[in-house]
């Protein structure tokens, strides 16, 4: 029988337990103190989660993937360095540092897996240091991608997974049930993401309006500068839904089938042929692994040929089935236009890769160690002639103002509670240091990238260097009234732009007044920086290279690219060995990582920390399987819990013991 709990009372003898718990608790409390949206509600959820985690230490394997994939309020908070899922990770690390502490010697796996992780960690550390010394980008900025701190934001994806690695390893070592709980977490996360995606589609074009090309973003606000993070996550998580389905209860199998349909729906509405192909490959790898022959000591050597044959046949079958479904749902014309766009996209991206690589430093250091983690947008700003978008908060006689320079499809916005009806009044003050200059204000129904029912006003400034008071009425009668889908309605955003692409405009005292006189814009005076504001840009080439391998080489050099590929290879090797022993968790890891490898040719995925953390967790599962298959001592201790050394007895304890013996 698998025990869901672990013995209590060994924490205070661990040298890491108390300091780690204190650091996590203090960081969580301070973050909640400044959190801008209903901090008491988030605090309540975290307290309940911490209490449940103390009782059931395995619970984090389910909750953390759900939080990483499905919880993201960045478009409303404007926070990009710390998000809601980070708080769940802090609570997890703090509680388990006391509840089930890990021995210092067990923080990393042994054997080749350890050195693969160390190589990636060194690559991140070196490229982060380089990023802080790189002389590219604007001198001052509050745009996260234009700051050296962007390296910390990106590295957080790996660091968070590294924090969770000892907990994952310890659970598998002491209870041998980490894999099924982690798979359940991935399935639950996929269910939440599919539900949120369905609601988004229902609120905007309509849940079953498949012909409307509205690529959903779901809970992935990182798509504000492009990237198919929604489809990538679904393709990563889908293989875990097929684990041991044939041995489940009938009702559970029906739920998983329904979930698979929902996930397929989420993949379809990405309208990305690349995501379609990756999902087909993921399904082919999953089902091929499930039907591969197994022996008592593992798969026989000759089974490899049959596995490859099954892979090819099932890949053809699943691919043909997916194409047939898409033709039926989307129509032949829409699908053929998508196929034609693939060729144009490949050609465009090939040109873009050549153009973006040309802005690298021509040096041996850049080749080996890269330009620095997160420096691509900064290098593009400094060295490409077609990119000029930036913003920052400055002070004029202790009065803050926003300096904004934006490209043609760059929007600096905030979600506001606007309802259809009479017009709303927007007021602001603006100035420009050189004519011509101006500012645009737009009010739209918008979640992330696509807008509907917009009303706006473009103000042309008359003088240079002087503040001008501007005001206009923004109509809302064309917006959809009331609730669109049950209790949900379309979010509305007010956005600012500079009307002259190469000329910044200064803005302050932004107000949006409702017909009843209520002021709706929060932090319109920018006294709290850019909190509650979030930007989007529909020109994605400014912010990322649509190829993770090229992006890794650009920012982390040959060292980083080699470590990245070696990590994936080691994880696949470990999962393959586990799969050959008959464990279907290995099949899920192979299918998940195989899909990721393919998507890396067309997407830049690791600049989104939450997606990166999920990817690295899947990799770590494969690496722990690699350790399990190469370390006999580890196999012998799989079910032996770690107990710390007994603390030395005090003089009082010794005297009491002697008195008891004498009596």
């Amino acid at each position: 029988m698998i025990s869901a709990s672990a013995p209590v009372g060994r924490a205070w003898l661990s040298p890491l337990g108390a300091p780690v718990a204190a650091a996590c608790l203090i960081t969580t409390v301070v973050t909640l103190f400044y959190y801008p949206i209903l901090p008491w509600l988030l605090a309540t959820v975290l307290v309940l989660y911490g209490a449940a985690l103390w009782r059931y230490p395995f619970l984090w394997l389910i909750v953390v993937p759900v939080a990483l994939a499905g919880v993201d309020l960045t478009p409303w908070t404007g926070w990009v360095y710390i998000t809601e899922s980070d708080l769940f990770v802090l609570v997890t690390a703090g509680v388990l540092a006391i509840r089930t502490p890990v021995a210092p010697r067990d923080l990393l796996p042994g054997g080749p897996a350890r050195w693969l992780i160390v190589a990636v960690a060194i690559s991140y550390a070196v490229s982060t240091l380089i990023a802080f010394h790189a002389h590219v980008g604007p001198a001052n900025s509050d745009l996260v991608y234009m700051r050296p701190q962007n390296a910390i934001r990106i590295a957080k994806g790996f660091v968070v997974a590294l924090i969770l690695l000892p907990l994952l390893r310890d659970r598998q070592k002491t209870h041998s049930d980490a894999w099924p709980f982690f798979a359940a977490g991935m399935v639950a996360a996929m269910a939440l993401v599919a539900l949120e995606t369905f609601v988004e589609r229902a609120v905007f074009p309509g849940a079953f309006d498949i012909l409307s090309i509205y690529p959903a973003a779901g809970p992935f606000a990182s798509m504000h500068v492009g990237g198919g993070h929604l489809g990538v996550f679904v393709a990563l998580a889908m293989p875990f839904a097929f684990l041991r389905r044939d041995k489940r209860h009938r009702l559970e199998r029906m739920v998983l089938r329904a979930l698979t349909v929902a996930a397929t729906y989420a993949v379809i509405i990405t309208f990305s042929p690349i995501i379609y192909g990756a999902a087909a490959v993921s399904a082919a790898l999953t089902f091929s692994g499930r039907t591969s022959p197994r022996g008592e000591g593992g798969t026989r050597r000759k089974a490899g040929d049959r596995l490859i044959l099954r892979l090819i046949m099932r890949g053809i079958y699943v691919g043909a089935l997916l194409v047939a479904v898409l033709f039926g749902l989307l129509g032949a014309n829409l699908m053929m236009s998508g196929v034609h766009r693939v060729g144009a996209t490949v050609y465009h991206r090939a040109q873009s890769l050549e153009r973006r690589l040309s802005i690298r430093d021509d040096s041996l250091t850049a080749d080996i160690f890269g330009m620095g983690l997160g420096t691509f947008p900064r290098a593009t700003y400094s060295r490409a002639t077609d990119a000029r978008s930036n913003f920052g908060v400055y002070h004029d006689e202790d009065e803050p103002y926003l300096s904004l320079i934006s490209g043609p499809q760059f929007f600096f916005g905030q979600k506001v509670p606007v309802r259809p009806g009479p017009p709303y009044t927007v007021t602001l003050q603006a100035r420009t240091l050189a004519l011509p200059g101006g500012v645009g204000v737009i009010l739209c129904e918008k979640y992330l990238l696509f807008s509907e029912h917009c009303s706006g006003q473009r103000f042309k400034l008359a003088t240079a260097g002087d503040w001008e008071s501007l005001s206009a009425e923004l109509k809302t009668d064309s917006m959809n009234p009331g609730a669109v889908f049950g209790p949900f309605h379309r979010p509305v955003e007010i956005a600012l732009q500079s009307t002259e692409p190469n000329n910044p405009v200064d803005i302050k005292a932004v107000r949006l007044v409702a017909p009843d006189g209520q002021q709706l814009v929060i932090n319109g005076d920018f006294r709290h920086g850019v909190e509650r504001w979030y930007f989007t840009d529909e020109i994605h080439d400014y912010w990322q290279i649509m190829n993770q391998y090229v992006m890794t080489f650009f920012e982390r050099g040959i060292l980083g690219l080699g470590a990245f590929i070696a990590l994936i290879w080691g994880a696949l090797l470990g999962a393959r060995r586990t799969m050959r022993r008959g464990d279907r968790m290995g099949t899920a890891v192979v299918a998940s990582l195989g899909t990721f490898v393919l998507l890396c040719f067309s997407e830049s995925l690791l600049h989104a920390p939450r997606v990166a953390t999920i990817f690295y967790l899947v990799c770590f599962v494969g690496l722990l399987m690699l350790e399990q298959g190469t370390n006999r001592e580890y196999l012998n201790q799989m079910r032996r819990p770690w107990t710390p050394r007994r603390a030395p007895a005090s003089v009082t304890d010794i005297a009491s013991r002697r008195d008891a013996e004498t009596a």
Side-chain angles (χ1 to χ4, degrees), residues 35 37 42 64-86 88 145 153 156 192-193 196 200 217-224 229-230 415 447-448 534 607-611:
Y35 188 74
I37 299 179
L42 181 57
V64 169
V66 171
L68 285 169
V71 182
D72 188 6
L73 298 179
T74 303
W76 284 265
T77 64
W79 283 25
V80 290
Y81 292 107
I82 299 179
T83 58
E84 296 77 17
S85 61
D86 297 330
F88 281 90
Y145 302 114
R153 185 192 68 86
K156 184 181 70 173
L192 179 59
V193 169
E196 293 173 327
E200 182 186 353
F220 294 97
S222 53
M223 293 174 63
H224 69 137
H229 302 152
L230 170 62
K415 297 294 186 291
Y447 167 56
L448 204 62
Y534 196 57
H607 81 282
R610 292 160 53 226
V611 176

Side-chain angles (χ1 to χ4, degrees), residues 36 256 294 331 339 405 476 523 585 607 641:
L256 286 176
R294 296 172 293 177
V339 172
I405 178 172
T476 62
N523 191 31
M585 185 66 179
H607 81 282

